[in-house]
């Protein structure tokens, strides 16, 4: 099949597609729209049976945004903004999946998507300068441009404990929650993990199960989500404000409406700080985290004070003081790990049918046929829920055999730490784009705000190439080093560099990712700085990217760094 597109791509090779996008989640949906709008012959390969990514898979009770719904939706289409009505401030998974389907159907994007197509390997052929893609259905496809829209949290990890296969009841990872309705009534349920996912599940199911036992190794700081319904009138008001909303998101570090308090922490007295926190704690969403003083992220003393404040809030909501103390993190301060937002999570522990097992004191020994054994006790369950997190950001890349020039694999290259240019390209891996890769602006921000920037930038880069008949791009080693050094430097001022979280590449269940080694996974400079950086590169004729036209032996190296 000859490559076709209404933009004339000068190429002496044939490929099945000009571009293959891997992943039909939030990023992949927008990316295929932009590419096909350009007239590119492009397709999406998606491992799941349908589109939606995170919102297709995370069907656990309580799964919902913790971004305000109207800041999470795509901003690229006025028609979508006009036609879609959000019903809750923090919309739940079924509605979110409906939304993504609405967008895909509105622009007739399904016709470009192929489901149940897991990409097993992607190998760059230096002769033809095409990517060869091996798909789980047995096909080998080729493309010139490979866009990996794999998501940040799409590689779930099970705990590395013995006996998981032995359990005779029902069990699953939250990412694989059954699609059919699960009747939890009268069930004895055990849940491992107390991250953002477990915190949503526990708050939601505590009053629906017979009995719930929570196995907690490390507590997380939590704050109330303060969700509410959005009335038709409120939705009209939101619609009128969309321009303003997205402008605000663009100027805040996290891509939210929440703007940091720009007064210095030490410029106001403690009483004023506490008054501010009293207000923020009752506001919706990440207010208490992101509308706070910026010093809480960088200054030990400031962080200790907000941590003490939140600890008091926890003590005020949990009846049993022993349980309350167990729920207060001692190994990290408030906000230096991504803060899980909760609805009724702390109050769940005031119920007689909910039990907290501190497995830092009595570690898990194994899963048994009947349940879970700790060093102290054997628990019997009908259902075990593994809310044990993800091999975050790089995990989904590691699970594909990606080979660039000279047989180099991405897995090897990133073994110690990801290295990227702008979080969107990797030296040695030509014609590979990652709109939301490690070290990009998407990983640490309100995701759709981040990926729209990434997808737009990648698309404009391809337009730039097509206009100039360029067929080859590759980040230079120097540019990659510069960016990665910059990302590392950004970590140095943040207290989060010391935290065991997916932002530092921690996952106790993945070999090499255990506590103790920091991986520089996300860009911490905030949305405005990121957008300025990628904009500057574009404005300088994509400084840091090596382009070429034609086949490999072409001596037309048109733009060099
Ligand atoms: P997570 O934050 O990585 O939490 C995993 C939990 O499982 C931790 O409590 C961990 O304990 C525990 N765990 C893992 N292995 C264990 C083992 N072998 N034994 C005992 N405990 C074990 O994962 P997550 O809760 O799925 O959240 C990941 C991210 O997803 C969040 O940070 C957030 O960004 C995103 N998320 C977003 C939303 C939303 O937008 N509304 C909702 C849910 C999740 P340790 O900490 O001790 O390792």
């Amino acid at each position: 099949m000859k490559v076709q597109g209404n933009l004339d791509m000068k190429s002496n090779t044939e490929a099945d597609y000009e571009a293959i996008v891997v992943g039909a989640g939030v990023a992949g949906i927008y990316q295929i729209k932009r590419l096909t709008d350009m007239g590119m012959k492009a397709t999406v390969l998606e491992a799941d049976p349908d589109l939606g990514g995170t919102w297709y898979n995370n069907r656990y009770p309580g799964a919902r945004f913790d971004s305000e719904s109207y800041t999470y939706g795509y901003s690229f289409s006025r028609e979508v903004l006009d036609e879609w009505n959000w019903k809750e401030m923090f919309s739940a998974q079924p509605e979110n999946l409906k939304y993504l389907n609405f967008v895909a159907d509105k622009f007739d994007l399904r016709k470009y998507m192929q489901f149940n197509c897991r990409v097993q390997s992607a190998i760059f052929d230096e002769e033809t300068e095409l990517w060869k893609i091996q798909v789980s259905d047995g096909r080998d496809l080729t493309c010139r441009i490979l866009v990996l829209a794999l998501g940040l949290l799409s590689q779930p990890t099970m705990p590395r404990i013995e006996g998981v296969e032995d359990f005779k009841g029902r069990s699953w990872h939250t990412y694989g929650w059954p699609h059919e309705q699960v009747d939890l009534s009268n069930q004895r349920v055990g849940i491992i993990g107390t991250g953002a996912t477990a915190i949503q599940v526990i708050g939601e199911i505590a009053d629906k199960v017979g009995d719930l036992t929570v196995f907690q190794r490390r507590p997380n700081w939590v704050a109330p989500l303060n969700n509410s319904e959005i009335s038709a009138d409120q939705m009209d008001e939101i619609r009128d404000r969309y321009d303003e909303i997205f402008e605000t998101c663009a100027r805040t570090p996290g891509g939210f409406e929440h703007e940091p308090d720009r007064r210095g922490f030490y410029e106001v007295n403690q009483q004023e700080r506490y008054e501010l926190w009293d207000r923020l704690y009752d506001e919706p969403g990440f207010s208490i985290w992101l509308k706070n003083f910026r010093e809480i992220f960088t200054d030990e003393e400031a962080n200790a004070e907000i941590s003490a404040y939140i600890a008091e809030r926890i003590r005020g909501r949990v009846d049993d003081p022993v349980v309350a103390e167990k729920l207060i993190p001692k190994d990290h301060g408030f906000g230096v790990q991504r803060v899980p937002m909760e609805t009724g999570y702390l109050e769940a522990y005031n119920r007689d049918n909910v039990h907290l097992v501190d497995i830092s004191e009595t570690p898990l020994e194994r899963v048994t046929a009947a349940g879970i054994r700790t060093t102290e006790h054997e628990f019997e369950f009908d259902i075990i829920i593994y809310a044990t997190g993800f091999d975050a950001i790089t995990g989904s890349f590691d699970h594909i055999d990606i080979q660039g020039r000279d047989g180099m694999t991405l897995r090897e290259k990133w073994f110690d730490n990801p290295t990227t240019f702008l979080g969107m390209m990797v030296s040695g891996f030509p014609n590979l784009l990652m709109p939301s890769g490690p070290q990009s602006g998407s990983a640490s921000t309100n995701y759709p705000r981040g990926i729209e920037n990434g997808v737009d930038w990648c698309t404009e880069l391809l337009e730039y190439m097509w206009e100039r008949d360029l067929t080859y791009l590759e980040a230079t080693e120097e540019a990659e080093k510069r960016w990665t050094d910059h990302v590392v430097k950004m970590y140095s001022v943040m207290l989060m560099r010391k935290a065991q979280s997916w932002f530092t590449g921690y996952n106790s269940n993945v070999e090499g990712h255990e506590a103790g080694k920091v991986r520089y996974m996300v860009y911490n400079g905030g949305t405005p700085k990121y957008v300025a950086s990628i904009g500057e590169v574009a404005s300088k004729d994509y400084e840091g990217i090596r382009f070429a036209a034609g086949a490999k032996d072409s001596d037309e190296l048109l733009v060099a760094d």
Side-chain angles (χ1 to χ4, degrees), residues 64 66 153 159 194-197 200 217-218 338 389 502 506 509:
R64 61 175 66 250
D66 44 24
L153 298 157
T194 47
T197 301
Q200 289 190 325
R217 188 163 60 187
R218 288 188 315 140
R338 200 280 206 185
W502 61 275
Y506 159 76
N509 303 304

Side-chain angles (χ1 to χ4, degrees), residues 373-561:
R373 193 162 74 213
T374 65
T375 50
E376 191 183 59
H377 190 74
E378 180 142 2
F379 297 84
E380 291 191 0
F381 297 120
D382 302 304
I383 295 175
I384 298 178
I385 301 167
Y386 296 100
T388 43
F390 298 86
D391 186 358
I393 311 186
T394 49
S396 48
F397 292 84
D398 287 347
H399 277 75
I400 302 174
D401 179 17
I402 301 169
Q403 290 181 30
R405 276 193 294 107
D406 306 321
M408 180 183 0
T409 69
L410 194 60
R411 204 181 289 145
E412 280 163 1
K413 176 159 175 152
W414 283 358
F415 186 76
D416 276 331
N417 189 52
T419 53
T420 71
F421 181 44
L422 308 175
M424 294 195 276
M425 279 156 286
V426 188
S427 166
F429 294 79
N431 291 0
L432 173 72
L433 294 170
M434 313 174 293
S436 61
Q439 305 179 344
S440 76
S442 306
S444 52
T445 53
N446 189 4
Y447 191 62
R449 303 283 64 78
I451 67 93
E452 281 190 342
N453 293 329
V455 166
D456 286 343
W457 194 88
C458 289
T459 309
E460 280 151 30
L461 167 63
L462 295 177
E463 282 169 349
Y464 174 94
M465 288 175 68
W466 297 161
E467 281 161 12
R468 290 162 181 75
D469 293 337
L470 301 168
T471 56
Y472 182 101
L473 82 121
E474 184 186 343
T476 65
E477 269 180 46
E478 304 77 65
E480 179 177 282
K481 183 169 180 326
R482 248 194 338 265
W483 182 254
T484 305
D485 287 349
H486 173 60
V487 168
V488 171
K489 196 168 157 214
M490 289 276 172
Y491 269 74
S492 67
V493 292
M494 308 293 288
L495 295 174
M496 61 95 99
R497 73 187 182 280
K498 300 178 185 169
Q500 288 176 38
S501 86
W502 61 275
F503 279 26
T504 52
Y506 159 76
N507 183 319
S508 71
N509 303 304
V510 179
E511 202 180 339
H513 285 247
E514 299 90 347
K517 174 166 175 36
V518 175
R519 281 182 164 74
Y520 300 93
M521 306 292 263
V522 302
Y523 177 76
N524 284 312
T527 303
K529 261 200 182 129
Y530 183 74
V531 170
S533 300
I534 62 178
E536 191 184 344
V537 169
S539 72
K540 292 184 177 165
D541 272 333
Y542 295 96
E543 190 176 51
I545 302 176
R546 194 166 66 86
F547 293 101
K552 185 182 170 225
D553 53 2
S554 164
D555 51 9
E556 280 184 88
L557 218 56
L558 296 185
V559 183
D561 181 37

Side-chain angles (χ1 to χ4, degrees), residues 54-253:
T54 277
W55 300 111
Y56 178 83
N57 288 289
N58 283 296
R59 293 171 188 242
Y60 61 81
R64 61 175 66 250
F65 294 148
D66 44 24
S67 307
E68 283 72 10
S69 308
Y70 50 82
T71 72
Y72 190 98
Y74 293 111
S75 71
F76 69 82
S77 159
R78 176 53 64 180
E79 277 177 68
V80 169
L81 295 172
D82 284 344
E83 289 169 23
W84 181 263
N85 295 314
W86 292 107
K87 300 194 183 81
E88 287 182 279
M89 272 300 260
F90 303 95
S91 176
Q93 177 272 334
E95 190 71 0
N96 307 345
L97 186 57
K98 245 189 243 167
Y99 169 75
L100 293 177
N101 275 280
F102 166 77
V103 174
D105 291 340
K106 177 167 184 59
F107 299 109
D108 201 11
L109 299 176
R110 274 175 177 281
K111 66 180 181 220
Y112 304 117
M113 297 178 182
Q114 305 181 48
F115 299 113
N116 296 306
C117 289
R118 182 172 292 283
V119 171
Q120 292 173 320
S121 67
I123 297 172
F124 185 72
D125 178 347
E126 293 184 55
E127 278 314 303
T128 58
E129 293 185 341
L130 297 179
W131 282 94
K132 293 187 163 171
I133 312 294
Q134 199 180 48
V135 190
S136 53
D137 62 10
R139 284 180 301 159
D140 290 314
L141 299 173
T142 54
C143 63
R144 176 144 323 265
I145 303 291
L146 178 62
V147 185
L148 298 178
L150 302 177
L152 304 173
L153 298 157
S154 46
Q155 199 61 52
T157 46
M158 291 290 281
R160 281 195 287 189
I161 47 171
E162 274 180 51
V164 168
E165 303 302 324
D166 297 345
F167 182 57
K168 296 279 185 256
R170 291 179 295 164
S171 65
W172 49 78
H173 191 284
T174 45
Y175 192 72
W177 193 279
H179 287 204
E180 63 281 4
Q181 190 75 23
V182 179
D183 183 6
L184 295 167
S185 55
N186 302 318
Q187 298 290 289
R188 297 163 304 168
V189 180
I191 181 164
I192 301 180
T194 47
T197 301
I199 283 162
Q200 289 190 325
V201 176
I202 293 163
E204 182 70 24
I205 69 172
D207 64 352
K208 299 180 180 65
V209 296
D211 215 63
L212 180 63
T213 305
V214 180
F215 294 91
Q216 171 186 275
R217 188 163 60 187
R218 288 188 315 140
N220 260 292
W221 293 101
V222 297
L225 181 65
N226 297 317
N227 190 20
S228 59
E229 286 183 6
I230 294 178
S231 67
D233 285 350
Q234 282 169 321
M235 194 58 231
D236 286 344
E237 185 265 334
I238 288 166
R239 221 186 305 281
D240 288 345
R241 277 197 321 114
Y242 264 134
D243 286 344
E244 180 198 324
I245 288 168
F246 292 123
E247 270 166 36
T248 310
C249 291
R251 69 167 181 263
T252 59

